Amino acid sequence: MTLLTDPQQDLSPPKPIPTHKGHWLWGGTFDFQKRPADFVLEGHERYGDVFKTRVLTGYSYFIRDPEIVNAINVTHAKHIYKPKVVKQMWKPFLGNGLVPNDGESWRRQHKLIMPGFHKMRVDAYAPTMAEYTRDMVAAWKDGEQRDFRKEMVELTLRVVAKTLFDTDLANDSETIHDAIQDISEALIDHAQMPLPVPRWWPTERNKRTVRALDAMDDVIRRLVEARRSEGEDRGDLMSQVVFAADEQGHMSEKQMRDELMTLVFAGHETTAHTLTWAWYLLAKNRDKLAKAQREIDEKIGKRPIGVDDLKELPYLEMCLKESLRRLPAVWIFAREAQTDLRLGGHHFPKGAILAISPLATGRNPKYFHNPDEYRPERWTRDFERQLPRGAYVPFAMGPRVCLGKQFAMMEMRIVLGTLIQNVDVNILEGFEPDFLPELSLNPGAKGMQMRVRFRDGAPVRVGETPSERPTPGIHAA
C-alpha cells in the first residue's frame, strides 16, 4: 500500500533522496552517534531538506521540508508510529505511557488524560508557578554564583510535583531528585549506544537504575493509594489519572504507574532546559533583555505575574518562541513508517525511520531570515500566519503534539517573567556552556553559571530580611 500527498504524483518517478554514505559497513551510524546535532545540521546544509543515511541495517531519513513534516505528523499520522527502537528504549522506564505508546491503546490513554490539561485546570496552576519561582529567587544571595540549569531543574520538578500530585513531596524530594537523575543518565546511555548493555547485566549503572525505578514506583504507589482512599478530585493531574474512566473502566494499576511516571519525566526536564537556553540567549543579547524588562516593568510593576497578565506580555512570549526556534530542548524526534509512503514526491519505504529536528527546521533560511540571529521581533502575527505548517515544531504537531504544550508555555512565561522582574539575566564573564544534544539539548556538566544580581527594588526583596525569606522545598543532591 502506498499513500500519496498528491494522487497525481502516482505516474511520476519519485524524487531522488541524497545519501550520506559514511562507512562501507555501518554507514552513518557512528557519524551520527559522535556528533548528532552537527551531523543533522551539516547534513541539511549539504544535502537539502531531505537526506538519508544507513544506520546499522536500515535507513534513517532526516527531514526538514515543512510539507513532509506536516504530512508525517498530521495528514498520515495514523500510518506512522513511534520507532520500535525508541519504544524499546523508553519501555523499561515509562512502560506503556503516552510517550512510547501507539495505536488504539495510545488513543484511549490520550482521551482519558487529556481533560487534565483543560485550560481551566492548567490556569489554576499559575499562582503555584509564580509562588515557587519567587521562593527560589528569594533564597538567593546577592553576588553569589549559581548554576541556573540546576536551579531550573529543581524548580520545575517542584512545580510538577505540586501540579501533578498536589503535594510538595517534602519527605520524598531527595529520593525523587536522585532517582530521576539516575534514570535520565541511564536513558542517555541507552540512547547513545547502538548496542546498549542489557538491563539485566549487573553493572553499577544498571544497579542504580533498578534502585531508582523501585524508589519512584514506591513514591507513586503510595500517592495513588492515598488519593484513592481520600476519594477526592483535587483538580490535579493525578486525580485525572486515578479517577478517569471510560466504557472499559478505569486504568489498570500498571497503566496509572506508567502515565504518572511519564508525566513526571515529560513535565520538568525539557521545560527546565528551555528556560536555561532562554536565559542564555537573553544574557547574550542585552538589548532584547532590556526590552523584556521594560515590558514587565510597565505592564506588571512589582506585583506577581498572574495568568491574566500573560496576554499583556507579548514580547516575553516572543522571546520564548525565538528561544524554542534557536535552541529547542527537544532537538529531534522520530517516527517509523508503518506502510510505504510517498510524501513531497519522495518515496519512504515501510519501516523507514523519519527523523525531524526542530533544531534544523528552526534554522531553515527559506523561512527564517538570518536564522543564527536571536531576534524575538520576528514573531509577529503576520509572520506566524505566513509560516508554513511544519516549519516550526518545538512541540511536534498533529495528534501527537505535546499534551502539555499550553501548560509548559504558561509555566515558562511565568517563571522567566518573574526572573526578569527580580534579577539581572547574565552568565559569568568568559563562561560558555556546552551544547549536548542528548535526550534534550542541555549545557552538560558545566551547567549555566550565573551571578545573582538583584534589580533595584526587586519585589522579592521588598520588606524582607534574609531570615524571613522562604526556602524552596527541593534541593539538589
Side-chain angles (χ1 to χ4, degrees), residues 136-190:
M136 175 191 70
V137 175
W140 292 353
K141 295 179 181 179
D142 205 29
E144 70 180 347
Q145 180 177 328
R146 292 260 173 173
D147 178 356
F148 186 76
R149 183 254 190 118
K150 181 179 174 183
E151 299 293 319
M152 290 302 98
V153 169
E154 293 177 5
L155 174 63
T156 55
L157 179 55
R158 189 179 179 212
V159 168
V160 82
K162 181 64 176 176
T163 56
L164 176 56
F165 299 118
D166 190 28
T167 179
D168 235 342
L169 292 178
N171 295 328
D172 297 299
S173 61
E174 188 172 346
T175 298
I176 291 175
H177 183 279
D178 291 349
I180 286 178
Q181 184 171 340
D182 285 339
I183 294 170
S184 296
E185 289 174 1
L187 275 166
I188 291 166
D189 285 351
H190 194 101

Side-chain angles (χ1 to χ4, degrees), residues 59 73 88 111 117 218 245 251 271 296 312 342 354 416:
Y59 276 94
N73 289 278
Q88 290 165 1
K111 186 176 179 181
F117 289 92
D218 180 63
M251 295 185 204
T271 301
I296 290 170
E312 303 297 327
R342 180 144 171 178
L354 312 173
L416 186 60

Side-chain angles (χ1 to χ4, degrees), residues 450-461:
M450 49 83 75
R451 183 78 62 194
V452 176
R453 298 192 189 103
F454 285 99
R455 296 183 66 197
D456 291 341
V460 298
R461 306 191 87 195

Side-chain angles (χ1 to χ4, degrees), residues 92-113:
F93 309 97
L94 307 184
N96 210 33
L98 280 178
V99 168
N101 205 351
D102 261 315
E104 287 303 319
S105 174
W106 175 86
R107 278 185 277 276
R108 177 182 183 243
Q109 291 305 116
H110 187 269
K111 186 176 179 181
L112 285 170
I113 292 173

Side-chain angles (χ1 to χ4, degrees), residues 280-465:
Y280 169 78
L281 289 166
L282 283 171
K284 300 286 281 188
N285 294 271
R286 305 293 296 181
D287 57 328
K288 313 303 182 187
L289 171 61
K291 192 170 179 178
Q293 288 172 332
R294 284 195 299 272
E295 179 182 73
I296 290 170
D297 291 346
E298 292 170 5
K299 299 292 179 62
I300 306 299
K302 306 295 185 183
R303 60 184 172 80
I305 298 174
V307 66
D308 292 334
D309 295 317
L310 297 179
K311 62 181 179 293
E312 303 297 327
L313 302 172
Y315 192 72
L316 178 65
E317 184 173 3
M318 289 177 177
C319 289
L320 275 166
K321 286 180 176 178
E322 182 71 345
S323 179
L324 284 163
R325 179 195 71 80
R326 187 68 179 76
L327 292 171
V330 181
W331 74 276
I332 195 167
F333 60 90
R335 302 288 185 259
E336 182 176 324
Q338 303 302 298
T339 186
D340 288 346
L341 297 168
R342 180 144 171 178
L343 308 174
H346 299 287
H347 176 72
F348 300 95
K350 179 179 179 179
I353 302 299
L354 312 173
I356 299 163
S357 170
L359 184 66
T361 59
R363 299 192 188 192
N364 193 334
K366 295 179 186 176
Y367 309 106
F368 301 98
H369 183 63
N370 292 335
D372 290 337
E373 179 186 354
Y374 178 74
R375 187 161 56 85
E377 293 80 4
R378 76 173 82 235
W379 291 98
T380 63
R381 288 186 179 181
D382 287 343
F383 173 76
E384 292 197 53
R385 275 195 290 263
Q386 60 84 35
L387 200 61
R389 286 175 58 81
Y392 177 72
V393 287
F395 294 96
M397 63 188 303
R400 298 209 67 139
V401 67
C402 174
L403 195 58
K405 176 182 176 180
Q406 300 307 318
F407 179 103
M409 283 302 295
M410 181 179 76
E411 179 181 7
M412 290 188 294
R413 283 182 288 169
I414 288 174
V415 171
L416 186 60
T418 302
L419 288 164
I420 291 171
Q421 186 183 40
N422 285 280
V423 297
D424 174 54
V425 176
N426 69 84
I427 56 176
L428 291 185
E429 186 176 351
F431 174 83
E432 274 298 317
D434 292 325
F435 297 85
L436 298 186
E438 297 175 329
L439 290 176
S440 61
L441 184 65
N442 71 84
K446 289 166 62 176
M448 188 69 68
Q449 302 300 322
M450 49 83 75
R451 183 78 62 194
V452 176
R453 298 192 189 103
F454 285 99
R455 296 183 66 197
D456 291 341
V460 298
R461 306 191 87 195
V462 174
E464 293 180 352
T465 64

Side-chain angles (χ1 to χ4, degrees), residues 185-200:
E185 289 174 1
L187 275 166
I188 291 166
D189 285 351
H190 194 101
Q192 292 182 333
M193 296 180 67
L195 297 173
V197 176
R199 189 170 169 231
W200 49 263

